[in-house]
């Protein structure tokens, strides 16, 4: 569109430009104001609020420590002391952690220094309190032991003295009886003599023995009283009384006439003389109790100081928050007033423009021209228009007048045409009869053709459906097998470093070889899927022929030695070593051929031969000869077809039958040829020839991964098994790891720490890896403005390994991609390359075509319907059974606990979304719970979650029962607890 100097378009452009300028000014003011508000809000959220929360947490921990310290001070046994000591240690560690968190925020340095000093004094006092309580318990134990020993001796003395009193009474009674006899005999002198003996000997002995027994009871009471005394002076008085009583008892024991009893009583009184040790220990115990009480009082004073300091910090945090809020209010007021002024001015300008330009010069003239056009449309050719000016609307008016003149001329011509049309109608009628006859004949022929087309379309649809089913199966196998294989092989790799015995090491080797075999089969299937989808990538580059052959030799030598056969390499002398080609694909084909040769050879040797092709000049010929069983002539024609094997292979060896088919497609993709020559009972020779150009590589560059220094890495993974394996790999490589289970935790960790590298899972419970990448970049952007650090490289990892998806991840900004299951070698190479400065790293052979992935959504529903025809078991014990053998019972129990806790929360969110009818949230939470159930082998829960996920994506879940989720989850928990409790 062009604008003339006097045109209305230019005038409208100027007018609307002024309006747009006013809107831009308003927008700039609004954006600036709200940006300042957002910045202030971030300051409050990121500093003031967390600081306030940490200060309150510190205060809560202080209260808990005071309570625990009081309980510790009152502990009466070692078990209680140890239990309270452990609790106190945990609270102190939490106190230190809170103190470290507070140090991140900009509080008054004097307050922080005082807070650190208070915490240090408290920790020292609590440590001394623990020692004093321990000493008090030890002394109390000694006092109890001595008291029991002395009480036992006192009771023995009482018992023996009682028996001696009885004996003395018996003797006295006998003497009295004898005195009565003497009285009866009238022997007065003998009576008086007997009475003197009774009084001086027998009664005196009885009195002494009674006194001994009385003193023993006094000593027993004093021993009991000693445990109740809380004063040093009272204890000293009791000690004096006890010493006097024991001394008197010692003298009274000597009056016992029975030698054995006397000796026994003397030994017991000697035991009672150890009372000095008892009272000395009790005196120490009293001092220890006073020390504990004094230390308690000191702790209370220190905690009051700590609480006052924390209160000052909270007050400072509240003041900072209030200042920030005040600033936000001021900014909002300025922005609001500015927007009101701009809006009022814009409204005034808009009214002026609408009246002067839009209505007066455009709308009124358009209405006049519209009425003229309506009259012209009704056939009124007598219309008149007054045209002024030379703008666009004036040109439109002139055009209407021209249209009127043209219509008048057409009306005249129509009358002439009417006559001609009548003549033509007669001719047309005759032609229509001929056409109708011919059309009838063509309809019959067309009906036959349509029937053929329909039959062909049905046949084609059936073929496409079968192909989609196969592709969906292969793609599903990729996703479902790679994820648990990450846990199996990764955990086995970690288990190898735990110090195993020979039997365990042999079992572990079986696990590794079985897992590698399963991955080989999986890779064959994925390669075949990739080839059929037409996404086989050939990447030529310089490579060393000798090193390629040596790699194959080193890889398969142990297999040959295990079967006691010889593996030989023969590269023709003088052959150029450096060539240009896809070394990975050539190695893949060569490994497949040599592996098959070793597999089917029981004795003799397998030879790898590389030489120039004698049939085609410039081509290289690779041959793999063996002395195995050979292949029948009629089977050689189908050896390179998919899922085809020789009779011997099917009977004895097994396998997928895809290796040679893949090899053929790879060689054909590189414009080469492949074939086989074989004789039964003699051996076989598989060969392929390629046209390769000489290369220029002169040396091998050392991998940067070998030189990488320890790095600080953020790992974002919601699956506990995958997280544990990846963390083990990284820590074994010397890296420090911070784990986040979802996007929110990742953002929190990323905002607080600086990482050298980030590993992001693509499928997360609250977001996806690509969205999380952009959020983390936003956090980095604010940090870059402050000049703190450079952008952190990020690597995606997922079980979805299709090339289109991987390319989309890299296009979004990921520096690299790793497939699941994680392989330690690939992890080392990728991290090393990225940290060395490479901008785009993808492991060779890690991605496949997603042609099969595109068909999953079309066929998955059919698989679900087929599954519904049979009852799903609640638990597939083989999934966690293999983990139990590798990880051990403790780790599996931990995994079950993690599953129950996290999945319970996911189920709650899913039920809320179902009740609210939020289909997108239903699909998201069902997908998360489905993945967790699949990892644990919970097939029934996996199926129910899959139904909800698919139905939510299709737009309706009305036909599903939400109670099925709860029932399946409860059954799953019971099955896990019963199977692995």
């Amino acid at each position: 569109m062009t604008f003339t100097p006097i045109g209305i378009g230019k005038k409208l452009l100027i007018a609307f430009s002024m309006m747009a300028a006013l809107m831009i000014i308003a927008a700039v003011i609004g954006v600036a104001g709200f940006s300042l508000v957002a910045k202030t809000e971030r300051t409050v959220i990121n500093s003031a609020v967390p600081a306030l929360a940490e200060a309150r947490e510190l205060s809560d921990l202080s209260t808990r420590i005071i309570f625990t310290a009081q309980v510790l001070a009152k502990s009466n046994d070692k078990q209680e002391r140890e239990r309270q000591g452990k609790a106190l240690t945990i609270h102190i560690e939490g106190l230190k952690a809170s103190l470290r968190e507070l140090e991140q925020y900009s509080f008054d340095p004097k307050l922080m220094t005082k807070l650190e000093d208070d915490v240090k004094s408290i920790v020292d006092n609590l440590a001394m309190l623990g020692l004093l309580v321990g000493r008090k318990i030890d002394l109390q134990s000694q006092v109890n032991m001595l008291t029991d020993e002395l009480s036992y001796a006192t009771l023995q003395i009482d018992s023996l003295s009682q028996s001696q009193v009885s004996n003395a009474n018996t003797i006295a009674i006998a003497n009295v009886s004898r005195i009565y006899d003497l009285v009866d005999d009238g022997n007065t002198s003998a009576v008086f003599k007997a009475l003197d003996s009774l009084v001086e000997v027998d009664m005196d002995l009885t009195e002494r023995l009674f006194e001994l027994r009385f003193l023993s009871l006094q000593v027993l009471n004093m021993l009991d009283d000693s445990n109740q005394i809380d004063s040093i002076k009272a204890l000293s008085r009791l000690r004096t009384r006890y010493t006097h009583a024991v001394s008197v008892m010692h003298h009274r024991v000597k009056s016992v006439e029975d030698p054995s009893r006397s000796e026994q009583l003397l030994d017991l009184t000697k035991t009672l003389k150890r009372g000095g040790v008892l009272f000395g220990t009790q005196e120490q115990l009293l001092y220890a109790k006073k020390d504990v009480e004094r230390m308690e009082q000191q702790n209370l004073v220190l905690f009051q100081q700590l609480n006052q300091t924390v209160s000052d910090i909270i007050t400072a945090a509240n003041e900072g928050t209030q200042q920030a809020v005040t600033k936000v209010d001021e900014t909002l007021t300025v922005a609001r007033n500015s927007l009101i002024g701009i809006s009022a001015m814009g409204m005034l300008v808009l009214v002026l423009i609408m009246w002067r330009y839009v209505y007066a010069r455009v709308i009124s003239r358009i209405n006049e021209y519209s009425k003229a056009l309506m009259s012209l449309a009704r056939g009124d050719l007598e219309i008149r228009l007054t045209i002024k000016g030379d703008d666009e609307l004036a040109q439109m008016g002139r055009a209407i007048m021209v249209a009127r003149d043209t219509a008048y001329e057409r009306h005249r011509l129509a009358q002439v045409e009417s006559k001609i049309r009548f003549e033509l109608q007669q001719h047309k009628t005759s032609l229509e009869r001929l056409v109708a006859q011919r059309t009838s004949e063509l309809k019959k022929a067309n009906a036959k053709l349509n029937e053929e087309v329909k039959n062909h379309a049905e046949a084609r649809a059936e073929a496409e459906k079968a192909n989609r089913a196969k592709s969906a199966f292969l793609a599903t196998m990729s996703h479902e097998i790679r994820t648990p294989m990450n846990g199996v092989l990764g955990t086995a790799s970690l288990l190898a470093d735990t110090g195993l015995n020979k039997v365990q090491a042999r079992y572990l080797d079986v696990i590794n070889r079985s897992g590698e075999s399963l991955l080989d089969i999986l890779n064959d299937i994925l390669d075949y899927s990739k080839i059929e989808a037409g996404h086989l990538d050939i990447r030529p580059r310089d490579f060393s022929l000798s090193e390629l052959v040596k790699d194959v030799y080193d890889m398969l030598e142990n297999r040959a030695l295990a079967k006691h056969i010889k593996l030989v390499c023969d590269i023709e002398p003088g052959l150029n070593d450096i060539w240009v080609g896809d070394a990975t694909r050539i190695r893949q084909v060569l490994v497949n051929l040599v592996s098959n040769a070793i597999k089917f050879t029981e004795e003799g040797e397998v030879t790898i031969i590389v030489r120039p092709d004698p049939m085609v000049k410039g081509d290289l010929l690779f041959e793999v000869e063996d002395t195995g069983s050979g292949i029948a002539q009629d089977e050689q024609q189908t050896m390179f077809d998919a899922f085809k094997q020789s009779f011997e292979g099917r009977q004895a060896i097994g396998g997928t039958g895809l290796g040679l088919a893949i090899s053929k497609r790879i060689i054909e993709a590189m414009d080469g040829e492949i074939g086989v020559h074989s004789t039964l009972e003699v051996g076989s020779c598989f060969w392929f020839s390629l046209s390769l150009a000489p290369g220029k590589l002169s040396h091998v560059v050392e991998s940067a991964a070998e030189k990488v220094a320890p790095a600080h890495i953020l790992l974002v993974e919601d699956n506990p098994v995958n997280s544990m394996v990846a963390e083990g790999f990284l820590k074994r490589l010397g890296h420090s790891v911070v784990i986040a289970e979802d996007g929110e935790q990742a953002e929190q960790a990323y905002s607080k720490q600086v990482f050298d590298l980030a590993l992001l899972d693509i499928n997360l419970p609250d977001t996806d890896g690509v969205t999380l990448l952009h959020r983390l970049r936003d956090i980095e952007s604010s940090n870059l403005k402050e000049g703190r650090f450079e952008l952190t490289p990020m690597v995606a990892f997922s079980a979805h390994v299709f090339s289109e998806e991987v390319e989309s991840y890299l296009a979004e900004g990921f520096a690299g991609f790793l497939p699941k299951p994680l392989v330690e070698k690939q992890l080392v190479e990728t991290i090393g390359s990225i940290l060395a400065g490479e901008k785009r790293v993808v492991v060779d052979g890690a991605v496949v075509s997603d042609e099969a992935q595109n068909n999953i959504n079309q066929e998955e529903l059919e698989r679900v319907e087929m599954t519904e025809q049979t009852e799903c078991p609640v638990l597939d014990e083989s999934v966690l059974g293999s983990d139990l053998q590798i990880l051990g019972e403790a780790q599996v129990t931990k995994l079950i606990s993690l599953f129950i806790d996290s999945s319970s929360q996911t189920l709650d969110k899913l039920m809320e979304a179902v009740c609210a009818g939020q289909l997108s949230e239903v699909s998201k939470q069902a997908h998360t719970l489905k993945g967790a159930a699949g990892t644990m082998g919970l097939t029934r829960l996996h199926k129910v979650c899959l139904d909800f996920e698919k139905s939510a994506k299709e737009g309706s879940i009305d036909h599903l029962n939400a109670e099925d989720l709860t029932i399946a989850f409860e059954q799953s928990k019971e099955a896990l607890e019963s199977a692995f409790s």
Side-chain angles (χ1 to χ4, degrees), residues 48-96:
V49 175
L52 186 61
E54 288 297 336
R56 295 188 186 281
E57 177 65 19
L58 190 64
S59 178
D60 292 341
L61 286 172
S62 171
T63 304
R64 295 194 196 107
I65 292 174
I66 291 174
F67 176 76
T68 307
Q70 291 175 346
V71 176
L72 175 63
K74 294 179 175 55
S75 299
N76 294 320
D77 55 59
K78 291 184 178 180
Q79 290 79 6
E80 178 67 18
R81 173 178 171 267
E82 290 177 358
R83 183 165 60 253
Q84 298 303 327
K86 289 179 180 178
L88 200 58
T89 301
I90 294 172
H91 294 329
I92 290 174
E93 290 300 324
L95 189 67
K96 291 180 178 179

Side-chain angles (χ1 to χ4, degrees), residues 415-444:
Q415 294 176 349
V416 176
E417 289 177 358
S418 176
K419 181 179 179 181
I420 298 173
R421 188 180 298 112
F422 176 75
E423 296 173 353
L424 291 175
Q425 183 65 35
Q426 293 181 342
H427 182 63
K428 176 184 176 183
T429 302
S430 62
L431 288 177
E432 285 178 349
R433 285 195 297 269
L434 294 175
V435 171
Q437 181 180 358
R438 183 58 180 164
T439 300
S440 177
E441 296 173 355
L442 290 175
K443 284 183 178 180
K444 295 179 180 179

Side-chain angles (χ1 to χ4, degrees), residues 244-280:
H244 175 73
V246 171
S247 176
V248 173
M249 288 174 67
H250 183 72
H251 290 291
R252 295 295 180 265
V253 165
K254 294 178 181 179
S255 58
V256 176
E257 297 179 352
D258 187 349
S260 61
R261 297 291 186 183
S262 177
E263 183 178 358
Q264 188 175 2
L265 288 169
L266 285 173
D267 291 339
L268 292 172
T269 55
K270 288 179 181 179
T271 301
L272 293 180
K273 287 182 178 182
R274 294 185 61 196
V277 178
L278 170 64
F279 285 100

Side-chain angles (χ1 to χ4, degrees), residues 37-52:
V37 171
K39 182 178 179 180
T40 307
E41 185 179 6
R42 286 196 298 271
T43 302
V44 174
I45 293 174
N46 296 333
S47 61
V49 175
L52 186 61

Side-chain angles (χ1 to χ4, degrees), residues 688-935:
F688 63 92
S689 64
L690 296 171
S691 179
L692 303 176
K696 299 179 181 180
L697 187 66
S698 59
H699 64 280
V700 178
V701 179
E702 181 180 2
S703 172
E706 301 294 334
K707 302 178 180 179
V708 63
H712 191 41
I713 298 176
L714 173 64
L715 173 64
V716 186
E717 167 62 76
D718 62 321
N719 187 296
V721 177
N722 295 342
S723 177
M724 180 179 65
V725 172
E727 181 185 14
F729 283 160
L730 294 171
K731 287 188 175 179
R732 188 162 64 180
L733 296 172
H735 303 301
S736 61
V737 184
V738 174
I739 298 176
E741 297 180 357
D742 53 31
E744 182 179 358
Q745 292 184 11
E747 292 180 45
Q748 292 176 354
Y750 208 77
S751 62
K752 295 179 181 179
Q753 303 183 44
V754 177
F755 295 95
D756 300 313
L757 184 73
L759 297 175
L760 309 184
D761 188 9
I762 291 300
N763 295 316
L764 294 170
D766 60 345
T767 183
D768 60 86
V770 175
T771 303
L772 179 59
L773 168 70
H774 295 308
R775 291 180 181 172
L776 297 183
R777 289 297 185 215
D778 291 339
I779 295 174
E780 281 186 322
S781 298
S782 61
N783 291 333
L784 285 173
K785 292 178 181 178
E786 300 173 5
R788 282 195 277 175
F789 54 87
E790 298 179 353
L791 289 177
T792 300
M794 301 189 187
V795 178
F797 64 98
S798 174
H800 297 285
V801 294
F802 298 97
S803 58
E804 287 77 1
E805 293 179 350
V806 174
E807 288 298 329
S808 68
Y809 301 152
L810 298 176
E812 290 290 343
F814 282 103
F817 175 80
L818 282 168
K820 290 185 181 179
L822 290 177
V823 178
E824 187 173 19
K825 182 176 182 296
Q826 295 177 350
L827 186 65
V828 171
E829 292 176 353
T830 301
I831 293 177
S833 300
I834 291 177
L835 293 180
E838 293 190 27
K839 302 298 183 183
R840 179 185 173 100
V841 178
V842 180
V843 178
D844 289 341
V847 299
V848 299
S849 167
D850 65 351
E851 178 69 21
Q853 180 69 22
N854 293 335
N855 295 326
I856 289 179
N857 293 334
Q858 300 177 10
E859 298 300 325
E860 191 169 276
L861 184 58
E862 296 180 7
R863 295 199 305 273
V864 172
E865 292 175 351
M866 293 176 62
T867 306
E868 290 176 349
Q869 297 175 2
T870 59
E871 181 69 19
C872 283
V874 176
L875 173 66
D876 182 1
E877 296 187 11
S878 63
V879 175
L880 281 182
S882 60
D883 289 342
L884 182 63
Q885 298 176 2
I886 297 171
L887 301 176
E889 183 177 350
Q891 288 295 332
V892 171
T893 302
K894 180 180 178 182
L895 288 178
I896 294 174
S897 177
L898 286 174
F899 166 78
I900 293 175
D901 292 342
S902 61
S903 297
S904 296
Q905 299 175 5
T906 304
L907 180 62
D908 293 339
K909 295 179 181 178
L910 176 56
M911 296 300 290
E912 291 177 1
V914 171
C915 295
Q918 299 174 348
L919 297 183
S920 60
E921 186 67 14
V922 171
S923 175
K924 173 183 173 183
Q925 298 300 334
H927 176 80
T928 300
L929 187 57
K930 180 191 73 173
T935 301

